[in-house]
C-alpha cells in the first residue's frame, strides 16, 4: 500500500486535534542516557559496548491530568556515541560509532500505575569512529519512566527512566541496549 504512512499521519493528526483544548499542552524535553549494549553476530560472537547520549524533543498532549489516561505524540532528536566493544585477545570485535537519531513515538500512562511509558520508532545515521564509513539503521525503543516528585515544579518536571532499545543493523544479528535516562520536561503552554 503506497500511502500507508500518509494515512497513519492523517489519523494521528485528527486524534490529536480533536482532544479538548484545555487538555492539550506542548512540552519541550531534554535529557541524557547511558546504557550497555549487547552485540552479537555469528561471525564474531558476542560482546558488550557502552553508550552515552543526549536528547531534545517535544511532546503534544496532556500530562498534567494524572487521574486520566493520557496519550501524547512525541518527536525527538538525539545524538549518541557507542564505544568500541570489549577487547578479546587484543582484538576489538566491534567498532564504536556516533549516531544522530530522529524518532517518533507515543507517551502514555494508565492512571492506577505510577509509571509512564514511551514507545518510539527511530531512524539513525551513524559513522564508525576512525573511518569515513557511514551507515543507516532503524530502531525500536521502549522507555519506562517515572516523575521525580521532589524535583518537580509547576512548569517543569524531572523524570527518571529505563530505556530499552533494539537496533536493527545489517552488520549485527543482535544489538540490544538497556540503561538509565534522565529527562527534564518544560511545559510551554
Amino acid at each position: 500500500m503506497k500511502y500507508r504512512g500518509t494515512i497513519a499521519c492523517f489519523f494521528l493528526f485528527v486524534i490529536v486535534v480533536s482532544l479538548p483544548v484545555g487538555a492539550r499542552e506542548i512540552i519541550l524535553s531534554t535529557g541524557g542516557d547511558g546504557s550497555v549494549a549487547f552485540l552479537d553476530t555469528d561471525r564474531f560472537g558476542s560482546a558488550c559496548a557502552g553508550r552515552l547520549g543526549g536528547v531534545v524533543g517535544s511532546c503534544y498532549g496532556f500530562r498534567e491530568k494524572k487521574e486520566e489516561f493520557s496519550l501524547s505524540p512525541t518527536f525527538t532528536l538525539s545524538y549518541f556515541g557507542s564505544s568500541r566493544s570489549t577487547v578479546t585477545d587484543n582484538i576489538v570485535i566491534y567498532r564504536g560509532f556516533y549516531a544522530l537519531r530522529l524518532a517518533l513515538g507515543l507517551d502514555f500512562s494508565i492512571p492506577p500505575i505510577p509509571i509512564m511509558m514511551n514507545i518510539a520508532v527511530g531512524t539513525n545515521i551513524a559513522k564508525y569512529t576512525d573511518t569515513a564509513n557511514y551507515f543507516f539503521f532503524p530502531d525500536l525503543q521502549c522507555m519506562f519512566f517515572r516523575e521525580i516528585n521532589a524535583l518537580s515544579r509547576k512548569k517543569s518536571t524531572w523524570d527518571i527512566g529505563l530505556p530499552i532499545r533494539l537496533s536493527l543493523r545489517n552488520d549485527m544479528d543482535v544489538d540490544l541496549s538497556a540503561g538509565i535516562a534522565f529527562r527534564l520536561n518544560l511545559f510551554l503552554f
Side-chain angles (χ1 to χ4, degrees), residues 85-108:
S85 68
T86 52
V87 178
T88 307
D89 298 330
N90 294 326
I91 298 172
V92 174
I93 299 175
Y94 302 114
R95 288 182 183 267
F97 63 88
Y98 296 97
L100 186 63
R101 178 177 187 258
L102 178 65
L104 297 172
L106 290 173
D107 271 3
F108 63 91

Side-chain angles (χ1 to χ4, degrees), residues 33 51 78 80 101 124 137 139-142 163-167 175-178:
D33 65 76
R51 295 194 174 151
S78 58
F80 70 94
R101 178 177 187 258
N124 300 267
F137 62 94
D139 65 25
L140 302 168
Q141 177 173 302
C142 180
I164 301 168
R165 184 181 303 165
L166 176 64
S167 298
D175 183 341
L176 182 66
S177 63

Side-chain angles (χ1 to χ4, degrees), residues 46-170:
S46 301
C48 290
R51 295 194 174 151
L52 287 175
V55 63
V56 173
S58 65
C59 178
Y60 178 77
F62 50 105
R63 289 222 13 216
E64 286 186 2
K65 298 185 182 260
K66 295 179 183 176
E67 68 277 357
E68 298 176 11
F69 172 80
S70 66
L71 181 67
S72 306
T74 62
F75 170 80
T76 58
L77 179 65
S78 58
Y79 181 77
F80 70 94
S82 181
S83 67
R84 63 185 187 172
S85 68
T86 52
V87 178
T88 307
D89 298 330
N90 294 326
I91 298 172
V92 174
I93 299 175
Y94 302 114
R95 288 182 183 267
F97 63 88
Y98 296 97
L100 186 63
R101 178 177 187 258
L102 178 65
L104 297 172
L106 290 173
D107 271 3
F108 63 91
S109 69
I110 301 169
I113 303 170
I115 296 174
M116 294 188 72
M117 187 172 170
N118 175 274
I119 297 176
V121 176
T123 184
N124 300 267
I125 179 171
K127 178 185 178 290
Y128 286 116
T129 54
D130 303 326
T131 70
N133 297 331
Y134 288 87
F135 61 102
F136 297 91
F137 62 94
D139 65 25
L140 302 168
Q141 177 173 302
C142 180
M143 183 164 90
F144 302 94
F145 57 93
R146 182 175 177 143
E147 183 179 321
I148 304 170
N149 292 328
L151 299 175
S152 297
R153 303 290 179 257
K154 187 175 181 179
K155 289 291 188 179
S156 66
T157 61
W158 281 90
D159 297 333
I160 184 169
L162 170 69
I164 301 168
R165 184 181 303 165
L166 176 64
S167 298
L168 306 170
R169 295 172 47 191
N170 284 339

